[in-house]
Amino acid sequence: MKLMRVGAPGAEKPAILAADGTIRDLSAHVADIGGAAISPDGLAKIAAIDPASLPVLSAGERIGACVAGTGKFICIGLNYSDHAAETNATVPSEPIIFMKATSAICGPNDNVLIPRGSEKTDWEVELGVIIGKTAKYVSEDDALDYVAGYCTINDVSERAFQTERQGQWTKGKSCDTFGPIGPWLVTKDEIADPQALPMWLTVNGEKVQDGNSKTMVYGVKHLVSYLSQFMSLHPGDVISTGTPPGVGLGMKPPRFLKPGDVVELGIEGLGTQKQTFIADV
């Protein structure tokens, strides 16, 4: 299934993308795409609904982030061997974990704000993992049992805030609108192998990232298991699993985003995003 949320910010309706391409309203069946609705039982109930029986929503409506009620937005750094190489970084011996503020979450096609004082706003196409039931101390063998599905994420980053200012990476990752998520939560049954997904990103029509989740250092099973050793993962939590090469920081010379730039990105089977970057005044 391809689940989504459609409508104005703060007033999104839960929806499903039908096989004929129409967007169908799930409001009569679930309160939102999050919490109990994305548990194994909740997803089974949605799967039993005939999409043709649901009201059609306008294809022109805004698409919101594909999951609601996210308590934790967890990111993994330097998780692609080829991306680590382009930034002259050493592949970590354990996953690098940092948090992105949930206030950064926005819709996949919303404008992205370049924060005041930014000179190094950058792009990162990433595979997102959405948790469907509480995970604590889970094994790798069982890890995917706790996953509701996958999505496309742009882990927008301000590199000067991230690495040239004191403290942790979080401040360079958490600016408002720095977390476009969606367009869909694609349930895991539709993705045969999360470690074999082509992904790409363009800036003003120029392809700058062209990678594949197969070059991830730590795969989805490992990440879910690993994170659950340190914190409980709850329904709606999002894991952004790292980016392949082609980010602005790794270019020679480095290249960063400016107002008016248009970024498009996508992951095979998970949908595409398109954002215009504008100055945050």
Side-chain angles (χ1 to χ4, degrees):
M1 294 182 293
K2 294 179 173 66
L3 303 177
M4 56 197 303
R5 302 171 64 249
V6 178
E12 293 92 347
K13 294 180 179 180
I16 186 169
L17 184 70
D20 63 1
T22 57
I23 299 172
R24 303 283 180 148
D25 189 353
L26 280 168
S27 298
H29 299 272
V30 297
D32 212 335
I33 304 301
I38 60 172
S39 69
D41 287 346
L43 292 176
K45 290 177 182 177
I46 295 173
I49 301 167
D50 178 6
S53 70
L54 301 172
V56 178
L57 293 172
S58 169
E61 285 199 67
R62 170 187 174 269
I63 300 174
C66 61
V67 62
T70 297
K72 294 189 287 297
F73 194 166
I74 308 167
C75 300
I76 308 299
L78 300 175
N79 195 33
Y80 282 68
S81 54
D82 35 10
H83 170 57
E86 75 169 343
T87 56
N88 297 314
T90 302
V91 173
S93 58
E94 292 186 59
I96 293 175
I97 302 170
F98 61 92
M99 308 297 282
K100 201 174 184 87
T102 55
S103 55
I105 293 173
C106 66
N109 304 316
D110 290 347
N111 290 339
V112 173
L113 302 173
I114 297 177
R116 292 182 186 179
S118 168
E119 295 181 352
K120 297 182 179 181
T121 294
D122 204 349
W123 57 85
E124 294 188 18
V125 59
E126 303 202 1
L127 169 64
V129 178
I130 299 172
I131 298 299
K133 68 176 183 177
T134 300
K136 185 174 183 179
Y137 300 131
V138 303
S139 68
E140 283 194 42
D141 288 343
D142 295 334
L144 294 188
D145 294 343
Y146 298 84
V147 172
Y150 305 98
C151 65
T152 301
I153 293 176
N154 188 358
D155 176 20
V156 185
S157 310
E158 210 301 336
R159 302 302 189 184
F161 296 178
Q162 177 187 355
T163 62
E164 298 172 22
R165 304 283 291 270
Q166 292 296 308
Q168 299 178 339
W169 288 6
T170 301
K171 67 170 70 73
K173 297 284 189 171
S174 295
C175 304
D176 293 348
T177 71
F178 268 27
I181 297 178
W184 315 310
L185 184 167
V186 180
T187 51
K188 63 186 176 186
D189 58 291
E190 290 202 7
I191 304 300
D193 183 0
Q195 305 308 147
L197 298 176
M199 57 186 70
W200 56 270
L201 183 145
T202 67
V203 178
N204 300 326
E206 175 192 352
K207 183 172 282 188
V208 291
Q209 288 191 277
D210 187 9
N212 193 296
S213 60
K214 68 184 179 183
T215 67
M216 286 171 62
V217 179
Y218 300 105
V220 172
K221 290 180 181 180
H222 182 84
L223 292 174
V224 171
S225 174
Y226 182 85
L227 290 168
S228 78
Q229 310 307 310
F230 303 100
M231 64 190 88
S232 294
L233 303 175
H234 298 131
D237 284 352
V238 175
I239 305 169
S240 199
T241 58
T243 196
V247 300
L249 179 65
M251 293 184 172
K252 297 180 175 27
R255 172 181 168 188
F256 300 108
L257 295 164
K258 59 186 184 302
D261 284 343
V262 176
V263 172
E264 297 182 70
L265 59 146
I267 300 176
E268 186 173 284
L270 302 182
T272 63
Q273 303 184 355
K274 182 178 181 179
Q275 299 115 24
T276 298
F277 282 68
I278 64 175
D280 189 357
V281 296

